[in-house]
Amino acid sequence: SSSIRWWHSAVVYQIYPRSFLDSNGDGIGDLQGIISKLDYLKQLGVDVIWLSPIYRSPMDDNGYDISDYQDIAPEFGTLDDFDQLVAEAADKGIGIMLDLVVNHTSDAHPWFVESRRNRKNRRRDFYIWREPAPDGGPPNAMQSSFGGSAWTLNEETNQYYLHLFSTRQPDLNWENPAVRSEIYEMMNWWLARGIVGFRMDVIDHIGKQVEKDIITDGPHLHDFIQEMNKATFGRHDVVTVGEAWSATPASALVYSGKARHELSMVFQFEHVIRQWDETYGKWRPKPFDLVQLKSIFGKWQLALAHDGWNSLFWGNHDLPRAVSRYGNSEGYRVESAKMLAIVLHMLKGTPYIFQGEEIGMTNMPFTSIEQYRDVETLNMHRLHLEAGLSPEEFIRGANESGRDNARTPMQWARSPNAGFSTGTPWIEVNPNYLAINAEAAIAEDASIWHHYRSLIGLRKSHPVIIYGDYQSWLDQHPYVYVYTRTLGTDRLTVVASFKSDELIISMPSELVGKGVCLVSNYGAMNEVSATITLKPFEAFAILSN
Ligand code: TEU
Ligand code: CA
């Protein structure tokens, strides 16, 4: 059908360049490091690499603060390195997706340097400047995601500028058409270099209207995205994914509906946010609730069944490690990591793998605030301690949910620094690298890595995985996730236990019958019986027709 797109069958692998592989011993991952691992990624079978930001940046937020959109950060390499990466990846059938961070720039971007100089310059309206409140304080109560007021006073001009993230990330003024056309021009410049898509940072924020206290889903948000589509990537056969923490099934249909001409899909975070404490947010996560997770996944699967498209992910560079959050990283690390992979990769949508997930990397047991590097964690540490929290309590929360869990260096081998760098890594390596590393995983047939490789391969040979209709079963079961995918006469049945003990379940009679096991994390299961005894974290997918 004409509505089939190449990225429906793609699997995306996210690289956080700073932490992937350091080729020159300065302790920072770089583009040549990535180039040297393209064979690894080809072997794994991924189609697209999403590169977290590689542009020139003061690195206040590890590159999400850009000071030159059309150059590479010197610590990562050069534009020649980038072109080499695109070309060598393309030779291996892999496309490069760039991270487009256009809600804000760095305060070192020449636009902002000029903008803050005086009230009357051609870049003043590139950012969001407001008069102080009558008492001299911030114009309103808007808060930054990283804690504290979203406004900082510029003393020279006696106005405040808006920054929804760090003070060094001033928000661009999307209401200004000159801002939008500069950005579109920049995007076209990258598209001409042969990239296959964009991941769009906090894209739900660009329609903000501070006078109305609106941050996400502003009245012009979708006009801007449609304009961007038309002016840039709409002319290319590329994939786009918008990061939208505010997305609901209804808004996701607006972003990704076929007739909308906006984005291919969005990242939605409902399953992440619902696990957070109402007051303390992610710094005090609630116990994992499978019934809730199943209901959220199911709701999204059904809402985007006929129009729009889902993204599928357990982790990224802002989230804890999947196996630590949703599985059991102590006694059943391998089993639970494989189970999670089956659950995610058999759903309808585009799976995203965050670097290290394919070898079951875990959260990092930091013990002191000096070990963290993340601007959000460091800000929140200060604010929470001011509010009376003990350092130990803060570290407990940060080690469960903090962003640096995902940012420790990729564990390649048993060699010093896990083979990441011959120098001193910018952030400590997880000490468990002697057991958990890519070299060991590739050498072992039964590893998590080979399991991911199989799952990626299955997607290429079974259309039911890409297009089958989703239906869930045993919704109220607290430990088991059962769903089916159906396409024509093919039926895929997925059964997954989230429990660290053996478990006996009664299967719905409609699902009982013989089939072929496509993937499992214990022995092969070629039949759905009326009663199944599941081993700890056992999971399998059976195809019948
Ligand atoms: O993340 C957006 C974002 O909202 C996260 O910072 C999130 O709110 C936070 O981790 C939850 O506590 C994007 C990027 O993915 C992130 O790395 C950037 O720091 C942020 O935008 C600003 O560019
Ligand atoms: Ca380096």
mmCIF file of all heavy atoms in Angstrom, residues 61 64 101 104 145-146 165 169 199 201-202 243 245 276 282 317-318 376 403 407, ligand 1:
data_model
loop_
_atom_site.group_PDB
_atom_site.id
_atom_site.type_symbol
_atom_site.label_atom_id
_atom_site.label_comp_id
_atom_site.label_asym_id
_atom_site.label_seq_id
_atom_site.Cartn_x
_atom_site.Cartn_y
_atom_site.Cartn_z
ATOM 1 N N ASP A 61 24.999 21.436 28.979
ATOM 2 C CA ASP A 61 24.045 20.321 29.022
ATOM 3 C C ASP A 61 24.476 19.270 27.991
ATOM 4 O O ASP A 61 23.666 18.748 27.232
ATOM 5 C CB ASP A 61 22.629 20.857 28.741
ATOM 6 C CG ASP A 61 21.533 19.816 28.927
ATOM 7 O OD1 ASP A 61 21.795 18.760 29.548
ATOM 8 O OD2 ASP A 61 20.402 20.050 28.438
ATOM 9 N N TYR A 64 23.236 19.835 24.356
ATOM 10 C CA TYR A 64 21.873 20.339 24.147
ATOM 11 C C TYR A 64 21.839 21.858 24.321
ATOM 12 O O TYR A 64 20.769 22.463 24.444
ATOM 13 C CB TYR A 64 20.871 19.609 25.056
ATOM 14 C CG TYR A 64 20.598 18.196 24.546
ATOM 15 C CD1 TYR A 64 21.371 17.120 24.965
ATOM 16 C CD2 TYR A 64 19.612 17.950 23.600
ATOM 17 C CE1 TYR A 64 21.144 15.834 24.474
ATOM 18 C CE2 TYR A 64 19.378 16.678 23.100
ATOM 19 C CZ TYR A 64 20.146 15.622 23.538
ATOM 20 O OH TYR A 64 19.923 14.365 23.037
ATOM 21 N N VAL A 101 18.015 20.611 18.105
ATOM 22 C CA VAL A 101 17.700 21.291 19.369
ATOM 23 C C VAL A 101 17.412 22.751 19.045
ATOM 24 O O VAL A 101 18.324 23.582 18.990
ATOM 25 C CB VAL A 101 18.877 21.180 20.361
ATOM 26 C CG1 VAL A 101 18.464 21.696 21.740
ATOM 27 C CG2 VAL A 101 19.367 19.741 20.462
ATOM 28 N N HIS A 104 15.840 26.105 22.038
ATOM 29 C CA HIS A 104 16.761 27.036 22.699
ATOM 30 C C HIS A 104 18.130 26.901 22.055
ATOM 31 O O HIS A 104 18.377 25.942 21.310
ATOM 32 C CB HIS A 104 16.851 26.718 24.198
ATOM 33 C CG HIS A 104 17.000 25.248 24.482
ATOM 34 N ND1 HIS A 104 15.930 24.415 24.739
ATOM 35 C CD2 HIS A 104 18.092 24.435 24.521
ATOM 36 C CE1 HIS A 104 16.346 23.181 24.937
ATOM 37 N NE2 HIS A 104 17.652 23.152 24.803
ATOM 38 N N SER A 145 12.843 23.370 33.893
ATOM 39 C CA SER A 145 12.840 21.911 34.091
ATOM 40 C C SER A 145 13.962 21.467 35.000
ATOM 41 O O SER A 145 13.890 20.403 35.597
ATOM 42 C CB SER A 145 13.078 21.212 32.761
ATOM 43 O OG SER A 145 11.899 20.999 32.097
ATOM 44 N N PHE A 146 15.013 22.251 35.032
ATOM 45 C CA PHE A 146 16.171 21.872 35.847
ATOM 46 C C PHE A 146 16.123 22.518 37.235
ATOM 47 O O PHE A 146 17.097 22.495 37.978
ATOM 48 C CB PHE A 146 17.477 22.253 35.145
ATOM 49 C CG PHE A 146 17.730 21.496 33.859
ATOM 50 C CD1 PHE A 146 18.616 21.991 32.901
ATOM 51 C CD2 PHE A 146 17.112 20.281 33.612
ATOM 52 C CE1 PHE A 146 18.865 21.292 31.721
ATOM 53 C CE2 PHE A 146 17.352 19.575 32.435
ATOM 54 C CZ PHE A 146 18.231 20.090 31.477
ATOM 55 N N PHE A 165 15.227 25.485 30.390
ATOM 56 C CA PHE A 165 16.208 24.524 30.894
ATOM 57 C C PHE A 165 17.272 25.317 31.652
ATOM 58 O O PHE A 165 16.925 26.177 32.453
ATOM 59 C CB PHE A 165 16.695 23.626 29.744
ATOM 60 C CG PHE A 165 15.561 22.782 29.229
ATOM 61 C CD1 PHE A 165 14.748 23.214 28.186
ATOM 62 C CD2 PHE A 165 15.229 21.596 29.877
ATOM 63 C CE1 PHE A 165 13.641 22.459 27.784
ATOM 64 C CE2 PHE A 165 14.122 20.847 29.482
ATOM 65 C CZ PHE A 165 13.332 21.274 28.429
ATOM 66 N N GLN A 169 20.780 28.088 28.548
ATOM 67 C CA GLN A 169 19.994 27.629 27.386
ATOM 68 C C GLN A 169 18.799 28.567 27.134
ATOM 69 O O GLN A 169 17.645 28.191 27.340
ATOM 70 C CB GLN A 169 19.506 26.185 27.623
ATOM 71 C CG GLN A 169 20.646 25.165 27.626
ATOM 72 C CD GLN A 169 20.205 23.801 28.136
ATOM 73 O OE1 GLN A 169 19.759 23.676 29.270
ATOM 74 N NE2 GLN A 169 20.342 22.769 27.323
ATOM 75 N N ARG A 199 15.711 13.851 15.154
ATOM 76 C CA ARG A 199 15.027 13.709 16.437
ATOM 77 C C ARG A 199 14.908 15.138 16.950
ATOM 78 O O ARG A 199 15.878 15.886 16.940
ATOM 79 C CB ARG A 199 15.851 12.827 17.368
ATOM 80 C CG ARG A 199 15.284 12.676 18.803
ATOM 81 C CD ARG A 199 15.850 13.705 19.755
ATOM 82 N NE ARG A 199 15.407 13.475 21.133
ATOM 83 C CZ ARG A 199 15.674 14.294 22.147
ATOM 84 N NH1 ARG A 199 16.369 15.398 21.952
ATOM 85 N NH2 ARG A 199 15.252 14.017 23.349
ATOM 86 N N ASP A 201 14.312 17.782 19.734
ATOM 87 C CA ASP A 201 14.334 18.032 21.169
ATOM 88 C C ASP A 201 13.151 18.909 21.608
ATOM 89 O O ASP A 201 12.886 19.944 20.980
ATOM 90 C CB ASP A 201 15.655 18.749 21.498
ATOM 91 C CG ASP A 201 15.976 18.741 22.977
ATOM 92 O OD1 ASP A 201 16.139 17.635 23.526
ATOM 93 O OD2 ASP A 201 16.083 19.822 23.575
ATOM 94 N N VAL A 202 12.505 18.517 22.694
ATOM 95 C CA VAL A 202 11.354 19.244 23.280
ATOM 96 C C VAL A 202 10.532 20.037 22.255
ATOM 97 O O VAL A 202 10.235 21.210 22.453
ATOM 98 C CB VAL A 202 11.778 20.156 24.457
ATOM 99 C CG1 VAL A 202 12.110 19.320 25.674
ATOM 100 C CG2 VAL A 202 12.944 21.085 24.139
ATOM 101 N N GLU A 243 10.382 14.849 20.348
ATOM 102 C CA GLU A 243 10.327 14.540 21.776
ATOM 103 C C GLU A 243 9.203 15.370 22.390
ATOM 104 O O GLU A 243 9.248 16.594 22.351
ATOM 105 C CB GLU A 243 11.663 14.873 22.445
ATOM 106 C CG GLU A 243 11.691 14.453 23.908
ATOM 107 C CD GLU A 243 12.668 15.247 24.763
ATOM 108 O OE1 GLU A 243 12.995 16.397 24.396
ATOM 109 O OE2 GLU A 243 13.092 14.734 25.803
ATOM 110 N N TRP A 245 7.109 15.317 25.853
ATOM 111 C CA TRP A 245 6.709 14.798 27.172
ATOM 112 C C TRP A 245 5.238 15.050 27.421
ATOM 113 O O TRP A 245 4.606 14.360 28.207
ATOM 114 C CB TRP A 245 7.565 15.445 28.272
ATOM 115 C CG TRP A 245 8.972 14.910 28.346
ATOM 116 C CD1 TRP A 245 9.974 15.140 27.452
ATOM 117 C CD2 TRP A 245 9.524 14.037 29.358
ATOM 118 N NE1 TRP A 245 11.116 14.468 27.850
ATOM 119 C CE2 TRP A 245 10.872 13.795 29.013
ATOM 120 C CE3 TRP A 245 8.998 13.446 30.513
ATOM 121 C CZ2 TRP A 245 11.716 12.983 29.783
ATOM 122 C CZ3 TRP A 245 9.834 12.644 31.287
ATOM 123 C CH2 TRP A 245 11.179 12.412 30.916
ATOM 124 N N TRP A 276 6.271 8.362 38.487
ATOM 125 C CA TRP A 276 6.946 9.308 39.368
ATOM 126 C C TRP A 276 6.055 9.749 40.516
ATOM 127 O O TRP A 276 4.829 9.789 40.392
ATOM 128 C CB TRP A 276 7.406 10.531 38.568
ATOM 129 C CG TRP A 276 8.499 10.239 37.594
ATOM 130 C CD1 TRP A 276 9.203 9.063 37.455
ATOM 131 C CD2 TRP A 276 9.016 11.133 36.605
ATOM 132 N NE1 TRP A 276 10.116 9.177 36.441
ATOM 133 C CE2 TRP A 276 10.032 10.437 35.905
ATOM 134 C CE3 TRP A 276 8.736 12.443 36.248
ATOM 135 C CZ2 TRP A 276 10.756 11.021 34.865
ATOM 136 C CZ3 TRP A 276 9.460 13.033 35.209
ATOM 137 C CH2 TRP A 276 10.456 12.325 34.535
ATOM 138 N N LYS A 282 10.631 12.477 39.664
ATOM 139 C CA LYS A 282 11.457 11.311 39.391
ATOM 140 C C LYS A 282 12.455 11.031 40.501
ATOM 141 O O LYS A 282 13.031 9.951 40.551
ATOM 142 C CB LYS A 282 12.173 11.491 38.074
ATOM 143 C CG LYS A 282 13.270 12.526 38.095
ATOM 144 C CD LYS A 282 13.849 12.583 36.694
ATOM 145 C CE LYS A 282 15.209 13.174 36.654
ATOM 146 N NZ LYS A 282 15.737 13.163 35.277
ATOM 147 N N HIS A 317 19.007 8.817 26.968
ATOM 148 C CA HIS A 317 20.065 9.473 27.748
ATOM 149 C C HIS A 317 19.537 10.276 28.929
ATOM 150 O O HIS A 317 20.328 10.842 29.683
ATOM 151 C CB HIS A 317 20.861 10.384 26.817
ATOM 152 C CG HIS A 317 20.010 11.501 26.283
ATOM 153 N ND1 HIS A 317 18.951 11.282 25.436
ATOM 154 C CD2 HIS A 317 20.039 12.835 26.502
ATOM 155 C CE1 HIS A 317 18.373 12.431 25.148
ATOM 156 N NE2 HIS A 317 19.017 13.393 25.789
ATOM 157 N N ASP A 318 18.211 10.411 29.066
ATOM 158 C CA ASP A 318 17.621 11.146 30.192
ATOM 159 C C ASP A 318 17.030 10.206 31.242
ATOM 160 O O ASP A 318 16.531 10.672 32.270
ATOM 161 C CB ASP A 318 16.469 12.045 29.703
ATOM 162 C CG ASP A 318 16.932 13.177 28.799
ATOM 163 O OD1 ASP A 318 18.097 13.618 28.932
ATOM 164 O OD2 ASP A 318 16.128 13.614 27.948
ATOM 165 N N GLU A 376 21.239 18.879 35.390
ATOM 166 C CA GLU A 376 19.956 18.748 36.100
ATOM 167 C C GLU A 376 20.178 18.146 37.494
ATOM 168 O O GLU A 376 19.655 18.642 38.493
ATOM 169 C CB GLU A 376 18.993 17.847 35.315
ATOM 170 C CG GLU A 376 17.664 17.666 36.042
ATOM 171 C CD GLU A 376 16.763 16.597 35.420
ATOM 172 O OE1 GLU A 376 17.247 15.491 35.094
ATOM 173 O OE2 GLU A 376 15.551 16.839 35.307
ATOM 174 N N ARG A 403 19.952 11.183 35.352
ATOM 175 C CA ARG A 403 20.330 11.027 33.943
ATOM 176 C C ARG A 403 21.730 10.444 33.753
ATOM 177 O O ARG A 403 22.019 9.853 32.714
ATOM 178 C CB ARG A 403 20.220 12.380 33.222
ATOM 179 C CG ARG A 403 18.847 13.037 33.427
ATOM 180 C CD ARG A 403 18.537 14.095 32.408
ATOM 181 N NE ARG A 403 19.446 15.223 32.405
ATOM 182 C CZ ARG A 403 19.317 16.259 31.592
ATOM 183 N NH1 ARG A 403 18.309 16.296 30.719
ATOM 184 N NH2 ARG A 403 20.157 17.264 31.635
ATOM 185 N N ARG A 407 24.595 7.682 31.188
ATOM 186 C CA ARG A 407 25.679 8.404 30.514
ATOM 187 C C ARG A 407 27.054 7.893 30.874
ATOM 188 O O ARG A 407 28.067 8.441 30.407
ATOM 189 C CB ARG A 407 25.542 9.902 30.824
ATOM 190 C CG ARG A 407 24.185 10.433 30.367
ATOM 191 C CD ARG A 407 23.956 11.882 30.730
ATOM 192 N NE ARG A 407 22.635 12.313 30.244
ATOM 193 C CZ ARG A 407 22.188 13.549 30.289
ATOM 194 N NH1 ARG A 407 22.947 14.512 30.807
ATOM 195 N NH2 ARG A 407 20.996 13.859 29.819
HETATM 196 O O1 TEU B 1 14.894 16.651 27.386
HETATM 197 C C1 TEU B 1 13.733 17.319 27.766
HETATM 198 C C2 TEU B 1 13.387 17.169 29.121
HETATM 199 O O2 TEU B 1 12.330 17.670 29.454
HETATM 200 C C3 TEU B 1 14.291 16.421 30.054
HETATM 201 O O3 TEU B 1 15.272 17.299 30.449
HETATM 202 C C4 TEU B 1 13.491 15.925 31.150
HETATM 203 O O4 TEU B 1 12.561 16.869 31.508
HETATM 204 C C5 TEU B 1 14.232 15.653 32.393
HETATM 205 O O5 TEU B 1 15.271 14.758 32.189
HETATM 206 C C6 TEU B 1 13.268 15.049 33.347
HETATM 207 O O6 TEU B 1 13.638 15.311 34.637
HETATM 208 C C7 TEU B 1 15.580 17.114 26.292
HETATM 209 C C8 TEU B 1 16.878 16.333 26.163
HETATM 210 O O7 TEU B 1 16.583 14.985 25.904
HETATM 211 C C9 TEU B 1 17.688 16.549 27.401
HETATM 212 O O8 TEU B 1 18.860 15.775 27.398
HETATM 213 C C10 TEU B 1 18.015 18.020 27.462
HETATM 214 O O9 TEU B 1 18.687 18.285 28.659
HETATM 215 C C11 TEU B 1 16.769 18.887 27.392
HETATM 216 O O10 TEU B 1 15.879 18.486 26.366
HETATM 217 C C12 TEU B 1 17.146 20.308 27.082
HETATM 218 O O11 TEU B 1 17.640 20.392 25.780
#
